[in-house]
């Protein structure tokens, strides 16, 4: 199949497919005499894998590592778990930071009456204090 059909079947844009190919996430496509790239079902499966990994928050570098690991299905799964465990720890750190940000913003929003002189705005004053 040509790149347009691959794009339609996977929901991944043509430019993104080309980018993944340049980044080594996709094997170089076979080419027709006319120069058109030719893809197969393995390419469809690989793009679905990449898409699902991105949804889970893996970076392209990590996805490349996961793809390399997935090519060795007879080996022990410890390395796959290690990569996923590291990603989970990163997500949990980011969630903790987002919760801290939410709590701080909630405190400021609750403290602001929403009317009156801007000079007395607790949100503005907190931002000015943090900057100083």
């Amino acid at each position: 199949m040509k790149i347009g059909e691959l794009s339609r079947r996977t929901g991944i844009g043509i430019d993104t497919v080309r980018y993944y190919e340049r980044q080594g996430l996709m094997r170089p496509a076979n080419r027709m005499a006319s120069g058109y790239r030719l893809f197969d079902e393995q390419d469809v499966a690989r793009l679905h894998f990449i898409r699902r990994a991105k949804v889970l928050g893996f970076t392209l570098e990590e996805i490349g590592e996961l793809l390399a690991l997935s090519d060795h299905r007879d080996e022990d799964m410890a390395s796959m778990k290690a990569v996923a465990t590291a990603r989970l720890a990163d997500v949990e750190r980011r969630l903790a930071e987002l919760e801290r940000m939410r709590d701080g913003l909630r405190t400021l929003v609750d403290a602001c009456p929403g009317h009156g002189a801007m000079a007395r705005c607790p949100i503005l004053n907190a931002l000015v204090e943090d900057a100083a």
Side-chain angles (χ1 to χ4, degrees):
M1 79 188 83
K2 292 181 185 174
I3 196 167
E5 183 180 345
L6 178 70
S7 175
R8 282 188 296 281
R9 288 190 52 193
T10 62
I12 295 175
I14 292 171
D15 289 337
T16 303
V17 172
R18 290 180 182 134
Y19 177 75
Y20 290 162
E21 190 176 24
R22 286 191 308 272
Q23 296 303 307
L25 297 176
M26 298 290 293
R27 62 183 169 82
N30 293 321
R31 293 195 179 253
M32 298 171 61
S34 61
Y36 286 108
R37 291 174 170 88
L38 287 177
F39 297 94
D40 58 25
E41 292 303 316
Q42 287 180 329
D43 297 310
V44 172
R46 197 165 182 95
L47 284 173
H48 283 303
F49 182 104
I50 293 168
R51 175 178 246 171
R52 286 188 296 268
K54 283 186 63 61
V55 166
L56 291 173
F58 288 99
T59 65
L60 292 183
E61 183 178 333
E62 291 166 332
I63 292 170
E65 186 177 343
L66 291 172
L67 286 166
L69 290 170
S70 73
D71 289 338
H72 304 283
R73 294 185 180 258
D74 293 336
E75 293 181 13
D76 188 70
M77 65 180 80
S79 53
M80 183 68 76
K81 183 174 182 177
V83 174
T85 299
R87 171 55 42 214
L88 177 60
D90 183 56
V91 167
E92 287 173 345
R93 278 190 298 275
R94 290 173 32 208
L95 282 171
E97 178 66 14
L98 286 170
E99 287 173 353
R100 186 194 66 72
M101 291 167 53
R102 179 200 60 208
D103 294 345
L105 282 169
R106 182 177 287 140
T107 299
L108 290 173
V109 168
D110 290 346
C112 183
H115 56 82
M118 185 66 78
R120 294 192 326 251
C121 176
I123 299 169
L124 177 62
N125 290 331
L127 294 173
V128 170
E129 287 174 16
D130 285 346

